[in-house]
Amino acid sequence: MPAWKDGKLGLPVKEAVRLFPELEKYLDERGRLDLSNREARILYNRAIAKAVFGLEIEYHPRGLVTTPVSRYLFLKTFLRGGERILEIGTGHTAMMALMAEKLFNCDVTATELDEEFFEYARRNIERNGAKVRLIKSNGGIIKGVILKGERFDAIFSAPPYYEAPTRGVLTEREGVGGGRYGEGFSVRLIEEALDHLRPGGRVALFLPDKGALIEEISERGKELGYSVRDVKFKVGTRWRHSLILSL
């Protein structure tokens, strides 16, 4: 399992500064990193991706600053290794697609909607020497994007989950899931996944700690015939959920 030398997932700030010396300008007098600064967060997470997971990641200047440790912990909740998998909305980093291939030895297909994010994802896949198959989704989720008859052991996503646009946290396409609690995108995903899962296949969704959102998706999943398991895990000070729906 990837780990830093102290046996914990993560990276000491001083080690991050060695990898990216420009981080030093974001340290206070006690050597603490100002993570309220976007550039500091990008550099620190690039350092974690490189030192802990062996990935070279470029972030889009407007994209979500995804944290490598949280994405790895999410993948651990449902991947067994060696599966054929599909990621919906890999984003500008393509981080989870890369981890799935490099760390879990999976055969990975990934989709992305945004043109600029697609290009960043393509470059991240290329710079890491990965064989991830990247598909432009053009507004679809699975239907009309993935060929009929193509099936996977697992389909996963960090889906949009806000019910309305956010104030500068995420772009509207990244953040707005629709529905009463932001569940709309996720519900469509689990509905469309039924035609593309192998027997015993599963859908996994990386979700925030929002009870109403999780309940709405879970109830629809049960109606569709999935068994539903909610795995809650903590990264730093925040709780996250891996909602796993299995056939």
Side-chain angles (χ1 to χ4, degrees):
M1 182 181 79
W4 191 240
K5 60 188 177 185
D6 63 358
K8 298 178 182 178
L9 283 174
L11 186 68
V13 171
K14 64 180 180 180
E15 303 292 347
V17 172
R18 288 181 188 175
L19 288 172
F20 294 97
E22 56 267 48
L23 262 176
E24 192 162 9
K25 65 183 177 182
Y26 301 108
L27 300 179
D28 64 16
E29 65 280 358
R30 296 175 60 185
R32 296 175 300 188
L33 189 61
D34 178 15
L35 291 176
S36 67
N37 183 284
R38 178 180 173 82
E39 185 60 27
R41 292 201 309 276
I42 288 174
L43 289 170
Y44 184 56
N45 282 298
R46 284 182 64 194
I48 293 173
K50 184 173 184 176
V52 181
F53 300 104
L55 296 175
E56 297 281 352
I57 298 294
E58 178 185 9
Y59 285 82
H60 187 284
R62 291 186 294 103
L64 178 67
V65 184
T66 51
T67 56
V69 171
S70 67
R71 269 55 185 176
Y72 174 73
L73 293 177
F74 166 66
L75 293 175
K76 277 191 68 179
T77 64
F78 67 93
L79 286 182
R80 299 162 188 153
E83 297 112 314
R84 187 165 192 261
I85 63 173
L86 169 66
E87 181 185 12
I88 304 301
T90 197
H92 53 105
T93 65
M95 188 180 294
M96 288 200 289
L98 290 168
M99 286 181 171
E101 182 188 288
K102 297 282 187 178
L103 304 178
F104 294 89
N105 193 34
C106 290
D107 176 1
V108 185
T109 297
T111 71
E112 177 51 42
L113 167 67
D114 185 275
E115 289 186 10
E116 290 185 21
F117 287 5
F118 182 93
E119 181 57 25
Y120 267 70
R122 185 194 66 76
R123 293 207 300 260
N124 279 323
I125 290 166
E126 187 176 88
R127 69 167 44 90
N128 285 280
K131 296 178 182 178
V132 174
R133 179 173 62 134
L134 186 62
I135 297 173
K136 186 76 184 304
S137 60
N138 296 315
I141 298 179
I142 302 175
K143 187 177 180 180
V145 179
I146 302 301
L147 293 175
K148 290 182 179 180
E150 196 167 359
R151 294 185 179 271
F152 302 88
D153 298 300
I155 299 173
F156 69 97
S157 182
Y161 53 77
Y162 287 104
E163 59 273 20
T166 58
R167 294 184 178 180
V169 178
L170 302 171
T171 66
E172 185 168 348
R173 280 181 169 179
E174 281 182 299
V176 180
R180 185 178 180 186
Y181 303 107
E183 76 284 354
F185 183 98
S186 297
V187 166
R188 281 185 56 199
L189 191 158
I190 65 175
E191 290 171 347
E192 294 181 16
L194 288 170
D195 292 329
H196 293 276
L197 286 172
R198 290 173 173 171
R202 56 211 177 277
V203 177
L205 303 174
F206 180 95
L207 297 170
D209 193 22
K210 295 176 67 175
L213 168 71
I214 293 167
E215 183 65 22
E216 287 290 315
I217 302 168
S218 297
E219 287 305 310
R220 181 56 181 150
K222 292 172 185 176
E223 291 172 0
L224 292 168
Y226 290 101
S227 62
V228 181
R229 182 164 61 99
D230 178 18
V231 179
K232 188 175 181 179
F233 60 96
K234 195 172 187 180
V235 183
T237 59
R238 295 183 177 182
W239 287 100
R240 291 289 183 260
H241 292 254
S242 175
L243 190 65
I244 304 167
L245 301 97
S246 304
L247 291 180

